[in-house]
Amino acid sequence: MKRPVPGEEEEEEERVLVSEQSWRPCPKARRRLRGCLEWLKRQLFRVGEDWYFLFILGVLMAIISFMMDLLVFRLYEAHRWLYQEVGDVLVLKYLSWTIYPIVMTTFSTGFSQSITPHSGGSGIPELKTVLTGVVLEDYLAIKNFGAKVVGLTCTLAAGSTVFLGKVGPFVHLSTMAAVYLGKMRTSVMKEYENKFKQNEMLVAAQAVGVATVFGAPISGVLFSIEVMSSHFAVRDYWRGFFAATCGAFMFRLLAVFNSEQETIAAIFKSDLKIDFPFDLLETFFFAIVGAVCGLLACAYLFCQRWLLAAVGKNRLTAKLLATDKPVYTALVVLLLASITFPPGLGQLMASRLTMKEHLISLFDNRTWGLLVPNASSLADPPGKDPWALWQEWCHPSATIFGTLAFFLVMKFWMLILATTLPLPAGYFMPVFVYGAAIGRLLGETVALLFPQGIHSEGALHPVVPGGYALAGAAAFSGSVTHSISTALLVCEATGHISHVLPVILAVLVANAITQKHQPSFYDGTIIVKKLPYLPRIRSRHMASYQVVVEEFMERRVVALAKSSGFEEVLAALDTSADAEYPVLESAAEPSSSPSSRATSTRRHPKGRSCQQRGHLVTAAPSSPSCSSSCHGPPCTRPITSSSC
């Protein structure tokens, strides 16, 4: 090879300098502009850059949620128009009713699964696993965001045939947006990626996902803490509230700009009595509503977990889910759409209503038993008047009690079957509507038994079945998800808070029954899918306090010393398949130093270990406490099974 002459090197350097100067003119102006931008960034981020990124997260998810609802409404109206325009030919009406949701759900399954397999389902079970420190490959990737948005829109456009919601997928979408904004933050601030900051953004994103669906910021934060967080840092509290408030406010503000409402109001309209909402003696019946919801929730959770496991083990369904997921979706949706066909069994289930219209009708403050004699023609499609939606529950050959009971019986197994579909879908809204139907049936029963109201003292006041529907929606959804915040959610979503105490009573009774016998919906999915999730050490049984760390900790761990060379690293990689390896001060005496630093979350070979937010905490066997090796302030605590 010919070596360059020194003179030629200098000429080459001059050409490079001339080339760089020709592409970057006005160096003084550029330096001044760069200095101004740095000064502006310092002034803007003086209060903390978290405010800006949390605000962007809330506003962004609110816009996506509103646009998704608007598009789903247009698609569903197109389905209604098609169903009405085919005329009275029964075959054409059946085809228009069944083919439309089949096409939508099949496209949702095929499109989302072709991009990434992580886009199916709710997403909350996997998110709970991620928040415990487990890394799921490509689960929070940006390509999953687009697949979930398109797939969820098509799923919701299928309407009441599949009866699926959007709470869970929207929480997943919010976390993916938070991860992407976190990467933008690191590039803007020109700093390395901070795991603590990323976790704070994920915690805030959970609340934003719920708040931008129901327009309920307070219950959104509480629901995210109860359902998705195994532990919660108090410093993340204000971040969740700020982001959720921005998202909920923007979500409701967009409805005003779109002329849907005159001002910011509750998402589900209700006109319950405020002067005298319920009699004191009615608290007994609200407790009965909670007990019934708790028992039905136990049966629902058991059957759902059993069917989810059975579908995976069955030879035919397992083959379809492995190779032809759209075919499985088409077959299941065909069955569900055939059952909800309005001229058939659908006329006993109010199948022409959307999920939002179901809730508005069930929260009606009037007693349906008194309105049935004055009901108008039932052949007309549901209109825009919310006060006429209750007529969809009327049928000439059945009473109100019959249609509500038939709805509960049929939707029980239909909701369970819909949870096996491999498409982006949420499962909170269906159980929310189902619980409202339970409460409405019991409320109508109480109103029938006491037509003049329950007398405690003074004047008589009629029973309001809509209040029982509120309690049923909160109790059943709360017991299925093992949460109490659903009591506040129904109050925020309806703008009605006078029933908050009996609603909380019903939720507590339902949770007391369900949490004693069944895991939550999301924990059950984690069990069936065998996700790497460590269950809670503490439980309600005293025997669990006798469990010590050494019973489940890893004993055979390959460790590296700081002085290890390339050969030792290769030997460790060949010996173990672990993703991370602890790095010790010395390989000779690994337990001699109580404060040995490590880079992984695995246990010290001869010491005891605690795990705190992804950092290793080690201690010698003879030491009564453990010291943290993370970058924050050192922590010292006794080593017990409850503190690890």
Side-chain angles (χ1 to χ4, degrees):
M1 178 181 286
K2 181 180 179 181
R3 304 182 65 180
V5 182
E8 295 180 356
E9 293 182 353
E10 294 178 357
E11 293 178 359
E12 185 68 23
E13 291 179 358
E14 290 179 358
R15 291 196 201 99
V16 172
L17 292 175
V18 171
S19 177
E20 291 180 354
Q21 291 177 359
S22 63
W23 284 101
R24 296 182 179 181
C26 305
K28 293 183 179 180
R30 286 189 287 105
R31 283 196 299 268
R32 291 177 182 177
L33 180 60
R34 191 181 301 111
C36 292
L37 292 177
E38 291 293 334
W39 177 85
L40 180 62
K41 186 174 71 173
R42 287 194 301 269
Q43 296 300 319
L44 290 176
F45 292 159
R46 178 175 293 181
V47 296
E49 71 278 5
D50 291 346
W51 294 91
Y52 300 100
F53 288 97
L54 292 174
F55 174 78
I56 294 173
L57 176 63
V59 173
L60 175 64
M61 297 312 300
I63 295 174
I64 294 176
S65 178
F66 181 79
M67 295 304 296
M68 185 181 295
D69 288 346
L70 188 62
L71 181 59
V72 168
F73 176 76
R74 300 298 183 188
L75 293 175
Y76 194 77
E77 286 298 316
H79 185 202
R80 280 181 172 175
W81 174 85
L82 178 63
Y83 179 76
Q84 296 173 14
E85 289 297 321
V86 295
D88 297 331
V89 182
L90 195 61
V91 176
L92 295 179
K93 295 178 80 68
Y94 174 78
L95 293 177
S96 64
W97 181 263
T98 56
I99 292 178
Y100 190 89
I102 290 175
V103 172
M104 286 294 176
T105 53
T106 304
F107 176 79
S108 174
T109 303
F111 179 81
S112 59
Q113 293 292 329
S114 63
I115 296 179
T116 170
H118 301 293
S119 59
S122 169
I124 291 183
E126 291 82 1
L127 181 59
K128 292 185 66 174
T129 305
V130 171
L131 291 177
T132 58
V134 179
V135 178
L136 297 181
E137 192 71 22
D138 294 334
Y139 178 73
L140 299 178
I142 193 64
K143 65 178 181 180
N144 201 1
F145 188 91
K148 200 107 180 179
V149 168
V150 177
L152 180 60
T153 303
C154 296
T155 301
L156 297 177
S160 58
T161 54
V162 292
F163 221 67
L164 294 171
K166 74 173 196 175
V167 176
F170 226 76
V171 173
H172 188 191
L173 291 174
S174 299
T175 55
M176 287 186 284
V179 171
Y180 189 74
L181 289 175
K183 294 180 180 179
M184 291 180 57
R185 175 188 170 278
T186 56
S187 61
V188 171
M189 300 302 298
K190 296 180 180 180
E191 60 183 20
Y192 292 104
E193 185 176 359
N194 192 328
K195 294 296 182 181
F196 293 101
K197 289 291 185 181
Q198 182 180 359
N199 187 75
E200 291 170 357
M201 290 290 288
L202 292 180
V203 172
Q206 299 170 10
V208 171
V210 181
T212 51
V213 172
F214 291 100
I218 302 176
S219 55
V221 174
L222 299 179
F223 185 81
S224 65
I225 295 173
E226 288 183 302
V227 174
M228 286 163 279
S229 300
S230 58
H231 62 279
F232 189 82
V234 180
R235 66 173 177 272
D236 299 335
Y237 204 51
W238 71 267
R239 293 178 173 87
F241 264 110
F242 178 74
T245 302
C246 293
F249 184 82
M250 188 65 185
F251 179 69
R252 302 311 304 149
L253 192 63
L254 289 173
V256 178
F257 291 160
N258 197 40
S259 301
E260 296 180 7
Q261 295 179 347
E262 296 180 358
T263 184
I264 296 178
I267 189 171
F268 301 120
K269 298 179 181 180
S270 63
D271 191 20
L272 300 178
K273 294 183 179 179
I274 300 178
D275 53 350
F276 197 89
F278 62 94
D279 198 284
L280 183 61
L281 296 179
E282 289 186 59
T283 54
F284 172 74
F285 295 103
F286 280 102
I288 293 179
V289 171
V292 173
C293 290
L295 294 175
L296 289 177
C298 289
Y300 173 83
L301 292 172
F302 175 80
C303 295
Q304 188 272 338
R305 195 169 64 254
W306 173 84
L307 182 62
L308 195 63
V311 168
K313 295 179 180 178
N314 183 269
R315 184 174 303 177
L316 177 61
T317 56
K319 183 179 180 180
L320 288 176
L321 289 174
T323 58
D324 299 309
K325 289 184 175 66
V327 176
Y328 176 83
T329 299
L331 294 176
V332 173
V333 175
L334 176 61
L335 174 62
L336 298 177
S338 300
I339 294 176
T340 57
F341 183 48
L345 297 177
Q347 59 187 330
L348 299 175
M349 304 164 57
S351 60
R352 294 190 297 181
L353 298 180
T354 63
M355 299 187 72
K356 184 177 180 180
E357 291 172 345
H358 272 98
L359 286 176
I360 293 176
S361 64
L362 292 171
F363 291 155
D364 193 352
N365 67 321
R366 299 169 297 177
T367 304
W368 292 351
L370 301 178
L371 298 176
V372 170
N374 300 324
S376 60
S377 176
L378 304 178
D380 298 332
K384 297 183 179 180
D385 185 12
W387 296 101
L389 294 177
W390 70 273
Q391 297 183 14
E392 289 293 312
W393 298 93
C394 298
H395 193 268
S397 60
T399 62
I400 289 293
F401 304 96
T403 55
L404 286 172
F406 186 78
F407 175 86
L408 294 176
V409 172
M410 297 299 292
K411 285 297 181 182
F412 183 84
W413 65 268
M414 292 172 69
L415 293 182
I416 295 175
L417 181 61
T419 59
T420 63
L421 294 174
L423 45 74
Y427 311 118
F428 178 82
M429 195 67 170
V431 298
F432 195 77
V433 177
Y434 191 86
I438 296 174
R440 187 75 199 194
L441 177 60
L442 296 178
E444 292 288 342
T445 304
V446 175
L448 179 65
L449 297 177
F450 303 94
Q452 301 299 325
I454 302 176
H455 175 72
S456 59
E457 58 183 19
L460 295 176
H461 298 276
V463 175
V464 181
Y468 291 85
L470 289 177
F476 189 75
S477 59
S479 58
V480 168
T481 57
H482 286 190
S483 59
I484 310 296
S485 57
T486 53
L488 183 60
L489 178 62
V490 296
C491 297
E492 286 189 284
T494 60
H496 182 75
I497 201 171
S498 58
H499 277 85
V500 62
L501 291 180
V503 168
I504 291 178
L505 175 62
V507 172
L508 290 175
V509 173
N511 270 275
I513 296 174
T514 307
Q515 293 190 24
K516 180 69 175 178
H517 300 91
Q518 292 292 329
S520 69
F521 180 89
Y522 305 115
D523 291 340
T525 306
I526 290 174
I527 295 172
V528 174
K529 291 185 177 181
K530 298 180 180 180
L531 296 175
Y533 182 79
L534 181 65
R536 294 175 299 176
I537 295 177
R538 289 190 176 185
S539 67
R540 295 165 183 81
H541 301 286
M542 293 301 297
S544 62
Y545 289 88
Q546 301 175 3
V547 179
V548 295
V549 179
E550 63 181 2
E551 294 185 12
F552 58 85
M553 66 185 181
E554 183 101 17
R555 294 182 179 274
R556 297 180 180 179
V557 179
V558 178
L560 294 172
K562 281 188 174 181
S563 58
S564 299
F566 184 69
E567 295 181 357
E568 288 80 358
V569 175
L570 288 180
L573 292 175
D574 294 336
T575 305
S576 174
D578 296 336
E580 297 177 341
Y581 298 90
V583 179
L584 309 176
E585 294 288 348
S586 175
E589 297 291 339
S591 62
S592 60
S593 176
S595 59
S596 299
R597 290 184 178 271
T599 59
S600 73
T601 58
R602 292 191 177 274
R603 175 187 169 271
H604 193 289
K606 294 185 179 180
R608 295 184 180 180
S609 63
C610 270
Q611 185 178 351
Q612 293 183 344
R613 301 178 71 85
H615 293 273
L616 184 67
V617 181
T618 61
S622 59
S623 175
S625 62
C626 61
S627 302
S628 173
S629 66
C630 58
H631 298 291
C635 68
T636 302
R637 64 174 70 181
I639 297 181
T640 60
S641 62
S642 61
S643 64
C644 291

